[in-house]
Amino acid sequence: GTSEEVAPPVQQCFMVPKKEINVVSDMAKWKRSQAYADYMGFILTLNEGVRGKKLTCEYKVSEAIEKLVALLNTLDRWIDETPPVDQPSRFGNKAFRTWYAKLDQEAEKLVSAVIPKHLADAAPEVAVYLKESVGNSTRIDYGTGHEAAFAAFLCCLCKIGVLRVDDQMAIVFKVFNRYLEVMRKLQKTYRMEPAGSQGVWGLDDFQFLPFIWGSSQLIDHPSLEPRHFVDEKVVNENHKDFMFLECILFITEMKTGPFAEHSNQLWNISAVPSWSKVNQGLIRMYKAECLEKFPVIQHFKFGSLLPIQPVTS
């Protein structure tokens, strides 16, 4: 998905995706699809790209990356412009719907600002993934299916050639990291419910990918081992360098009580001897718990860029 292949001529194939997986029997079709292969290939390519690297290290920042950060900054600004409303229920603040309506209206325009003119026909299809990536406006919830839509959004930008192979580190460290900041702000501001969460048995209420890429960053670290991420001092001193620790910091800010109780799966992971084992285990868990779970993947959109057709290559 991230190789420098020439994308097919756009005009022949772009249409807003209409198909959704809506019957359970289609799960097998999804796992055999080109979309699944491209999506997983993209996740694993980035996993290799950030291996052993700090968030604060030097990397190339292309114009496309700058434009994506600007897009996310716009979403962030809209949160400031749409304060939560007074309402009886504590969770799911209805102001989120106002914020989302603005994105729904502006998404194509935002995407058009990121992609070059000759690819303008791709904007409607790519914008679908952006709109899916911020949570559900009816239920006012957010979960790993929405996160997957953002990764699919980035994957599509790679497929049409907007993002390139040498953007790998910036995709994770600059764009995806900024996306996480905006999502955390949404979750806090509008008190969003976790979507499809397994509660204490899930890895995290909202995210999964930063744990995969974040554990890859820590592979072969000279002093930090998996057992250290439950140590508050270690987290406070290193979270600016490592996505994984940034996630742990956010969890401890949002949850009270012993870590082993509110985040049991992560607590268990802290006993794994090496970061490469953690990384491999998380990739397996991601496939099983997110990509192969119907409630998570039922809303995934297919079109010409991420087709439901079986893998060809």
Side-chain angles (χ1 to χ4, degrees), residues 32-213:
R32 285 197 307 269
S33 70
Q34 190 64 51
Y36 183 93
D38 289 349
Y39 179 84
M40 241 2 259
F42 179 67
I43 300 301
L44 295 174
T45 301
L46 294 177
N47 189 57
E48 278 308 302
V50 300
R51 187 178 173 134
K53 308 278 198 312
K54 290 181 178 181
L55 286 169
T56 47
C57 73
E58 294 278 311
Y59 51 84
K60 173 181 164 278
V61 178
S62 64
E63 193 187 349
I65 295 288
E66 296 284 13
K67 286 177 174 176
L68 282 165
V69 172
L71 182 158
L72 291 163
N73 291 343
T74 301
L75 301 188
D76 191 331
R77 193 182 74 245
W78 290 349
I79 302 174
D80 297 334
E81 292 166 6
T82 319
V85 295
D86 283 335
Q87 62 177 44
S89 65
R90 204 165 129 233
F91 286 96
N93 195 284
K94 291 182 176 63
F96 175 71
R97 293 182 182 144
T98 311
W99 180 90
Y100 184 85
K102 186 151 192 167
L103 173 61
D104 195 34
Q105 205 181 336
E106 302 283 327
E108 269 184 53
K109 206 162 88 184
L110 289 171
V111 171
S112 297
V114 174
I115 59 183
K117 295 248 185 309
H118 69 282
L119 294 170
D121 291 351
E125 183 167 344
V126 177
V128 170
Y129 295 103
L130 178 64
K131 289 191 283 191
E132 292 278 321
S133 74
V134 297
N136 182 287
S137 66
T138 310
R139 295 188 305 271
I140 313 180
D141 66 6
Y142 175 94
T144 48
H146 302 111
E147 178 191 70
F150 191 74
F153 165 70
L154 296 173
C155 180
C156 288
L157 292 175
C158 285
K159 288 191 83 168
I160 60 175
V162 172
L163 295 172
R164 301 185 175 276
V165 172
D166 57 0
D167 288 319
Q168 276 177 38
M169 282 170 68
I171 289 170
V172 179
F173 292 170
K174 205 147 178 79
V175 179
F176 193 81
N177 209 37
R178 184 72 185 107
Y179 164 75
L180 284 177
E181 289 168 2
V182 178
M183 292 308 105
R184 285 172 186 146
K185 189 167 169 178
L186 276 180
Q187 289 151 21
K188 269 184 180 166
T189 306
Y190 303 121
R191 301 300 298 266
M192 296 176 81
E193 298 270 13
S197 164
Q198 299 161 307
V200 72
W201 305 113
L203 185 69
D204 176 70
D205 281 344
F206 297 111
Q207 312 298 156
F208 203 114
L209 291 173
F211 292 96
I212 294 179
W213 296 330

Side-chain angles (χ1 to χ4, degrees), residues 255-273:
K255 296 191 168 182
T256 51
F259 192 89
E261 285 175 25
H262 63 62
S263 301
N264 189 262
Q265 284 282 32
L266 281 167
W267 178 259
N268 293 339
I269 286 169
S270 71
V272 176

